[in-house]
Amino acid sequence: LDLLLARSRWPIDVAGGSGWCHARQSAEYETLLEVVALEHMLTSNSPIDYKSECMKHAMPQVVRQGENEDYVLGCLWPVYLACWHKVLQRLVGPYGARASSRVHFVDPARADINYRPWSNEPRYRNSFIGRADLPAVSNAAFLWHWVAIPNKTDSMLRDFGLSALEDTLDCERLWQTAATDSATIAAPPLPRCSLSGSAVPCPFEDSLLMPRAF
């Protein structure tokens, strides 16, 4: 935790406050790589095998999305992710067989803790923005991540059948409401999501809700 908190302050110190790409997420990713790199160094009795080579992709830089596009200050997140996956596989093994005594990797096929509605739920396609006749929720996931969604609070309340934020303050009432709704639904239970972070691609390309350069 101390390592993570220290990394989250780095942009203020070295990037003039411009920040990490994807806010704190890059700090979390880099912290994970450093932890498993330190573990690998100790268990293999060899020099540390990660020297922050992915870091350069985690900071805002001058980029352009296409040959005829203007240059902007932004991030190429897929480039960072490709580097991150490559280093992680080198240090702890491939997806599905990662081995670490310091980090417990959660299989998204069993418990998705980063389910993104904008790339997995039909109701968040651009064609349904602003419409009242939304498709039903498609998947059940442990933790939803409403990244890049406008009116985020209203969307969260709507998706869970709540009318106001006050409905979330009474945990017992919230639990009873969810249990009642589950018992009265005649349709089959929602499929368990196994998309985010897994080898199965999201069913939709990234929505236009997500800026092309950010």
Side-chain angles (χ1 to χ4, degrees):
L1 180 58
D2 289 340
L3 187 62
L4 171 59
L5 293 176
R7 298 299 173 270
S8 24
R9 290 192 295 268
W10 274 6
I12 299 175
D13 299 330
V14 303
S18 58
W20 295 86
C21 297
H22 285 259
R24 296 293 177 87
Q25 193 167 345
S26 296
E28 295 166 356
Y29 275 46
E30 278 299 296
T31 299
L32 175 61
L33 291 183
E34 293 184 8
V35 168
V36 295
L38 289 171
E39 179 189 2
H40 180 269
M41 178 185 67
L42 292 174
T43 56
S44 64
N45 196 27
S46 61
I48 193 163
D49 196 20
Y50 178 60
K51 299 180 180 179
S52 303
E53 58 262 33
C54 298
M55 178 79 70
K56 61 184 178 182
H57 304 302
M59 297 289 186
Q61 54 197 291
V62 177
V63 299
R64 64 176 178 176
Q65 299 293 325
E67 184 177 345
N68 298 320
E69 300 285 340
D70 293 332
Y71 285 97
V72 297
L73 181 65
C75 302
L76 295 176
W77 188 242
V79 177
Y80 177 77
L81 284 183
C83 182
W84 188 86
H85 282 293
K86 180 179 178 180
V87 172
L88 193 65
Q89 178 167 330
R90 185 174 77 228
L91 294 173
V92 295
Y95 169 79
R98 292 172 180 153
S100 169
S101 61
R102 299 291 181 179
V103 179
H104 177 71
F105 293 94
V106 178
D107 185 351
R110 300 184 63 186
D112 192 338
I113 60 173
N114 189 32
Y115 181 64
R116 300 171 303 177
W118 60 267
S119 54
N120 290 309
E121 288 292 331
R123 59 173 45 201
Y124 284 105
R125 296 300 86 221
N126 297 298
S127 58
F128 286 103
I129 294 178
R131 291 173 52 176
D133 55 331
L134 297 175
V137 171
S138 298
N139 286 295
F142 180 68
L143 186 63
W144 284 45
H145 184 189
W146 276 269
V147 61
I149 291 177
N151 301 318
K152 189 172 299 187
T153 300
D154 292 341
S155 297
M156 292 167 62
L157 293 172
R158 179 200 62 202
D159 291 341
F160 281 98
L162 305 176
S163 57
L165 283 175
E166 287 73 15
D167 292 342
T168 67
L169 301 179
D170 188 337
C171 294
E172 182 63 27
R173 177 185 170 194
L174 188 63
W175 176 260
Q176 291 177 355
T177 300
T180 301
D181 290 345
S182 299
T184 56
I185 294 176
L190 293 173
R192 183 172 60 191
C193 176
S194 59
L195 300 171
S196 177
S198 73
V200 181
C202 296
F204 306 107
E205 294 183 359
D206 288 352
S207 167
L208 294 179
L209 295 172
M210 178 67 77
R212 296 184 63 193
F214 51 95

